[in-house]
Amino acid sequence: MKNWTLFLITALALATCKPKTGEKPSNDLQAAGAESGTIKKIDVHAHYQHKRDYLPAFFEKWNMQGVLVDVFHKDSMDIRRSWDKYLAHTQTDPELFFLCTSFIGVGIDAPDFAEKTIAQLEGEIKAGARMVKVWKNFGMVTKDASGAFIQIDDPRLQPIWDYLKTKNIPVMAHIGEPEQAWRELDPDSPHYGYYKEHPQYHAYHFPEIPTYETIITARDHWIEKNPDLNILCAHLGSMSHDVDMVAARLDRFPNMSVEPGARFGDLARQDSEKVRAFFEKYQDRIMFGSDFGNGIPQDSMAPAQLQEEKMNLDVNYDRLWKYLSSTDSVELRGRTTRGLGLSNDVLNKVYYQNVVNFLKID
């Protein structure tokens, strides 16, 4: 029962949307989502920590590869990350995935902090990492010796950005949370379930956490002072509730791109025509990301669990495809909206070519 409970928690945490009651995903990998097979895809934000026997055929059906994005964070017990699991996974299935490493600011006061961090990143770039992620630890969690929250524009981090520029390695930045994190929990919010399960990131209850505006301002300042660093702002830059806010930053910062992983529910609450116009205008700077993944070893799951996981994953990718490619009615995070109906040219850029260009994939 313990593993089954973990499976359910993982599925709820990583899925952008769940199949509606009574919806039966196809067991035939050539059936569900087959229309999408004409567009090559790279999911730029994925978290498949563990091998799955079904994944090679699944990704082949979807004509897709993924970028495994490391999560490096400190909790009450220890510093944890996913890198070693991802590295082993890509060695088993090298044709499926690319690697993204990460770092955090724990120990930033040490004189050799930047030197040690650069050494870590250098080794992991040599091992295959094509991108480096920074997480919401910066701004919301990690503090320096004075007790101040470390913001992403902290000057002590600058040698790391300078190093990455010399290596032409881009950065994925998950800085901040959706604006709703600073508000009272709202059952109608697309983030209600996440903050219910992860109350430590519900800033509304922690007045010591810097404000949303403070964190976003620091993020903007960091991008501005590093114009030669290519930056992919994950989750639409924590501004997913308002595409006008995202557009203003894209206009201001030529080195910034975005991906909408786990934020399609926010897009569904905005006018479809407005969102469609946003995708069309910035079609060269938006990349498809899902934030999908797994967190349980395959040998800890029963065949029925694996089958359910695969079917849910298929339904979720299919729903995002329909939202982007069709004008059908689509339900995302409890909100029914109309699909964007993007052209094949725009879909090819968002799903594939922009990621290839950004990560310099041959």
Side-chain angles (χ1 to χ4, degrees), residues 72-102:
F72 194 155
H73 69 286
K74 184 180 187 301
D75 59 24
S76 59
M77 301 295 293
D78 200 358
I79 292 178
R80 304 176 188 274
R81 61 183 308 203
S82 311
W83 173 257
D84 289 341
K85 294 177 183 176
Y86 288 156
L87 186 60
H89 196 15
T90 56
Q91 290 169 347
T92 302
D93 295 306
E95 74 286 355
L96 296 186
F97 298 113
F98 304 99
L99 289 168
C100 172
T101 185
S102 64

Side-chain angles (χ1 to χ4, degrees), residues 99 152 261 319 358:
L99 289 168
I152 195 63
R319 187 165 290 150
F358 190 77

Side-chain angles (χ1 to χ4, degrees), residues 83-139:
W83 173 257
D84 289 341
K85 294 177 183 176
Y86 288 156
L87 186 60
H89 196 15
T90 56
Q91 290 169 347
T92 302
D93 295 306
E95 74 286 355
L96 296 186
F97 298 113
F98 304 99
L99 289 168
C100 172
T101 185
S102 64
F103 72 93
I104 56 175
V106 173
I108 196 171
D109 299 279
D112 60 351
F113 167 79
E115 181 182 353
K116 285 186 175 180
T117 301
I118 290 169
Q120 171 222 317
L121 296 177
E122 184 171 24
E124 291 167 0
I125 290 167
K126 288 179 180 178
R130 294 174 176 265
M131 182 165 59
V132 173
K133 181 184 183 180
V134 286
W135 204 43
K136 59 192 176 189
N137 294 79
F138 291 104

Side-chain angles (χ1 to χ4, degrees), residues 89-212:
H89 196 15
T90 56
Q91 290 169 347
T92 302
D93 295 306
E95 74 286 355
L96 296 186
F97 298 113
F98 304 99
L99 289 168
C100 172
T101 185
S102 64
F103 72 93
I104 56 175
V106 173
I108 196 171
D109 299 279
D112 60 351
F113 167 79
E115 181 182 353
K116 285 186 175 180
T117 301
I118 290 169
Q120 171 222 317
L121 296 177
E122 184 171 24
E124 291 167 0
I125 290 167
K126 288 179 180 178
R130 294 174 176 265
M131 182 165 59
V132 173
K133 181 184 183 180
V134 286
W135 204 43
K136 59 192 176 189
N137 294 79
F138 291 104
M140 294 187 71
V141 178
T142 309
K143 300 178 183 180
D144 64 15
S146 74
F149 286 88
I150 303 167
Q151 297 294 341
I152 195 63
D153 63 342
D154 192 301
R156 291 170 290 187
L157 301 174
Q158 191 58 44
I160 300 169
W161 314 133
D162 293 339
Y163 164 76
L164 294 175
K165 292 173 195 176
T166 67
K167 296 296 183 179
N168 207 15
I169 295 292
V171 174
M172 172 184 273
H174 175 181
I175 300 301
E177 280 285 85
E179 188 183 40
Q180 291 92 329
W182 282 263
R183 297 176 180 171
E184 191 172 0
L185 200 60
D186 178 6
D188 189 51
S189 167
H191 308 290
Y192 176 80
Y194 180 80
Y195 294 125
K196 195 78 172 176
E197 295 289 338
H198 301 84
Q200 69 272 31
Y201 297 122
H202 189 202
Y204 176 81
H205 294 295
F206 301 97
E208 69 274 15
I209 293 177
T211 65
Y212 175 81

